[in-house]
Amino acid sequence: MDLIIKNGTIVTEKEMFKADIAVKDGKIALIGTDLSDIPAEKVVDATGKLVLPGAIDAHTHLSFPFGGTVSSDSYFAGTRAAACGGTTTVFDYTNQNFGEKLVDAVKRREAQAAEEGVAVDYGLHIGIKDPSGDLLDSMQEAIEYGVSSFKVFMVYDFGVSDGVFYKVLEKAKQYGALIAVHAENNEMVNLLVERYASEGKLSPWYHYASRPEFVEGEADRRAIAWAKSLNTALYIVHLADKEGVEAVTQAKDEGYEIYAETCPQYLHFTDEVFKREDGRNFVCSPPMKGQESQDALWEAIKRGDIDTIATDHCPFQQSEKDWGKDDFRKIPNGCAGIENMYPYMLSKANDGVITFQKAVELCSFNPARIFGCEDKGSLSVGKDADIVIYDPEKNFTVHNSNMHSDSDHTIWEGLELHGYPIQTYSRGRLVYDNGEFVGEKGWGKMVKCAARAH
Ligand code: URP
Ligand code: ZN
Ligand code: ZN
């Protein structure tokens, strides 16, 4: 064997049990109660530690052209940070250019990821901007290439109309794709932004005020209605509002395949952050909502109505956030979080808010299952050896100085976590060791995802 991790407590999406785990050629080769007789190049003693599958962050924006600039983490910097937070796979977004075939949007970002030196494995989702001609039919070629998830934005200047969204859902059903949606009501956002601006209300609070609960809730309901009418699957990204949670719960109860993702920032912060002196740093879309929405998200997690946790990692440097110090319209939308997701959710598990199995289900097992990523998402024989060793006794306070992203600030500054990852392995290779990135630029491979049954 190449590696044996002994005496740890293995956590899967279902159970926790004491066992050893053996790795050969990047794969989990054996799991057993005593593998000490098996020769191995390297043996790691995990007594008192948890052994978990690496997290899969299903929503990141690395080197992402957005808000008049480009997000500040390259594929290398972002995935270096991911590894140091126990995330061994990221699903990043490639947005289609106008006139571009969807598969070409994949190849373009694949080349960029290689050039920038992606350090852990990654998959891609394709943001659809241009449905003209037969571009939507190029979905099939993208799926054959290994990308089976696509996203529509109901907002932003590149967002699509309801009619295009509907056509995208039809094509997804035809070709076996999964559609993700950023749901906010664009008309309402534009109306409220203009209204507040004309009244001179330009502080970061008005970012939230122009995208309040009902602006997201209405769009969630509308998006779900289209998916239900076609009886096709839909994945709602960064769900942040109570009405949306209720719509998801109702659709699931009715038997529809509606998935919901939320992010740690919605579970931890509320709209109050936009009143802070540094409120601009928290500006992301959708914005954090009121306490009722946060409570609804946690309840939905416990009920099983939230399927995944992802970060929507999209950091901008302080100087860029400062563009909108006195005018929220100029703040690039997005925050850092790629290194914080797994530690945050596992700390919640350590505190008894959820179980460790639930954290694994939300952060690893479900994203792999939903996006057709067959080699990942669980500690079981034959899967990639993407493994995190977690010390439940190690307390950790987040400071930008102990993060590994290129971002020069973090909304998570000062967060106290109970328990922390101490080692991360990507396909059996140690990439993070006690505070340090020890991986390799360019180690990451693109993960090909299976199409859905159709
Ligand atoms: O504010 C955000 N979320 N920025 C990234 C783009 C998006 O909407 O996901
Ligand atoms: Zn979005
Ligand atoms: Zn996003």
Side-chain angles (χ1 to χ4, degrees):
M1 293 293 159
D2 300 325
L3 166 72
I4 293 187
I5 300 171
K6 284 170 55 79
N7 304 323
T9 298
I10 291 182
V11 186
T12 72
E13 70 289 355
K14 286 204 183 73
E15 50 187 350
M16 289 173 68
F17 55 93
K18 282 211 157 44
D20 301 344
I21 184 161
V23 174
K24 177 88 187 140
D25 297 331
K27 295 276 181 189
I28 297 174
L30 284 172
I31 296 177
T33 43
D34 186 3
L35 304 183
S36 50
D37 288 344
I38 297 176
E41 254 176 56
K42 184 174 163 187
V43 177
V44 174
D45 184 8
T47 303
K49 312 290 189 289
L50 302 184
V51 182
L52 308 145
I56 299 172
D57 185 345
H59 187 158
T60 68
H61 300 279
L62 303 174
S63 289
F64 189 59
F66 192 60
T69 179
V70 177
S71 66
S72 55
D73 271 338
S74 66
Y75 275 95
F76 175 60
T79 51
R80 175 183 63 199
C84 297
T87 290
T88 47
T89 308
V90 303
F91 273 83
D92 198 59
Y93 279 92
T94 177
N95 273 1
Q96 176 198 24
N97 288 328
F98 284 91
E100 188 178 39
K101 279 205 305 181
L102 295 167
V103 71
D104 291 336
V106 172
K107 291 178 183 169
R108 175 168 50 77
R109 289 288 271 186
E110 191 183 9
Q112 187 176 358
E115 194 181 315
E116 291 181 6
V118 63
V120 299
D121 292 348
Y122 71 101
L124 289 167
H125 309 295
I126 309 171
I128 295 180
K129 294 204 299 201
D130 184 0
S132 64
D134 56 2
L135 287 177
L136 288 186
D137 286 304
S138 70
M139 200 181 257
Q140 192 174 18
E141 223 181 311
I143 293 171
E144 282 160 11
Y145 195 76
V147 175
S148 57
S149 45
F150 302 81
K151 179 175 179 185
V152 293
F153 293 84
M154 295 168 88
V155 284
Y156 304 137
D157 50 7
F158 55 85
V160 301
S161 66
D162 284 354
V164 170
F165 181 8
Y166 196 78
K167 267 200 242 169
V168 167
L169 285 168
E170 284 178 328
K171 294 288 178 193
K173 187 169 173 154
Q174 181 183 346
Y175 294 126
L178 177 63
I179 301 305
V181 62
H182 174 140
E184 289 181 293
N185 183 314
N186 201 34
E187 298 269 310
M188 288 306 300
V189 172
N190 291 339
L191 173 87
L192 292 171
V193 167
E194 268 174 42
R195 179 171 296 168
Y196 289 126
S198 71
E199 293 167 1
K201 295 174 173 167
L202 291 169
S203 74
W205 172 258
Y206 291 96
H207 172 72
Y208 160 70
S210 56
R211 315 175 94 106
E213 277 75 348
F214 72 89
V215 164
E216 187 182 338
E218 184 278 337
D220 291 324
R221 287 203 178 278
R222 187 152 38 100
I224 290 171
W226 306 144
K228 277 165 74 167
S229 75
L230 289 167
N231 197 14
T232 193
L234 180 68
Y235 179 94
I236 301 181
V237 298
H238 49 44
L239 183 68
D241 74 297
K242 183 179 175 191
E243 191 184 338
V245 168
E246 287 166 357
V248 168
T249 297
Q250 187 188 335
K252 281 180 184 284
D253 288 349
E254 290 166 353
Y256 291 100
E257 199 182 345
I258 304 294
Y259 299 109
E261 163 198 289
T262 192
C263 313
Q265 55 270 33
Y266 304 118
L267 296 172
H268 192 70
F269 301 109
T270 66
D271 52 5
E272 288 294 309
V273 291
F274 299 112
K275 296 180 185 161
R276 285 170 50 155
E277 192 276 324
D278 62 347
R280 61 193 175 285
N281 291 347
F282 294 81
V283 164
C284 59
S285 293
M288 293 64 144
K289 305 296 197 303
Q291 190 62 53
E292 267 196 34
S293 281
Q294 186 177 98
D295 294 344
L297 288 168
W298 275 113
E299 286 311 310
I301 283 177
K302 291 174 192 169
R303 276 200 311 276
D305 289 340
I306 297 286
D307 299 283
T308 63
I309 306 293
T311 63
D312 195 11
H313 180 80
C314 190
F316 296 99
Q317 299 297 32
Q318 189 61 65
S319 59
E320 295 166 320
K321 287 290 197 185
D322 289 350
W323 292 340
K325 204 165 187 281
D326 303 313
D327 184 345
F328 73 89
R329 295 172 298 175
K330 297 182 182 153
I331 305 169
N333 288 199
C335 305
I338 205 164
E339 196 168 345
N340 312 108
M341 173 181 84
Y342 216 17
Y344 179 80
M345 295 307 291
L346 292 169
S347 181
K348 288 291 172 192
N350 218 3
D351 290 345
V353 178
I354 53 172
T355 63
F356 282 106
Q357 295 94 311
K358 187 68 171 172
V360 164
E361 183 193 344
L362 291 164
C363 299
S364 184
F365 181 78
N366 278 351
R369 175 177 63 85
I370 292 168
F371 292 109
C373 189
E374 283 153 7
D375 292 333
K376 309 224 177 251
S378 191
L379 294 184
S380 50
V381 172
K383 298 267 184 195
D384 283 352
D386 293 347
I387 301 171
V388 170
I389 303 182
Y390 177 84
D391 183 352
E393 305 293 334
K394 178 177 173 162
N395 291 334
F396 186 92
T397 305
V398 175
H399 295 297
N400 202 57
S401 55
N402 57 25
M403 295 289 97
H404 297 80
S405 139
D406 276 350
S407 178
D408 62 1
H409 65 283
T410 172
I411 58 170
W412 299 99
E413 187 69 39
L415 177 77
E416 290 181 4
L417 296 165
H418 307 132
Y420 208 74
I422 52 171
Q423 286 193 328
T424 305
Y425 295 84
S426 163
R427 284 180 274 110
R429 188 205 193 285
L430 186 65
V431 291
Y432 166 75
D433 192 16
N434 270 300
E436 269 188 61
F437 175 71
V438 294
E440 190 182 317
K441 216 172 180 182
W443 169 259
K445 287 189 183 156
M446 183 172 156
V447 172
K448 307 268 173 151
C449 292
R452 310 169 63 74
H454 59 290

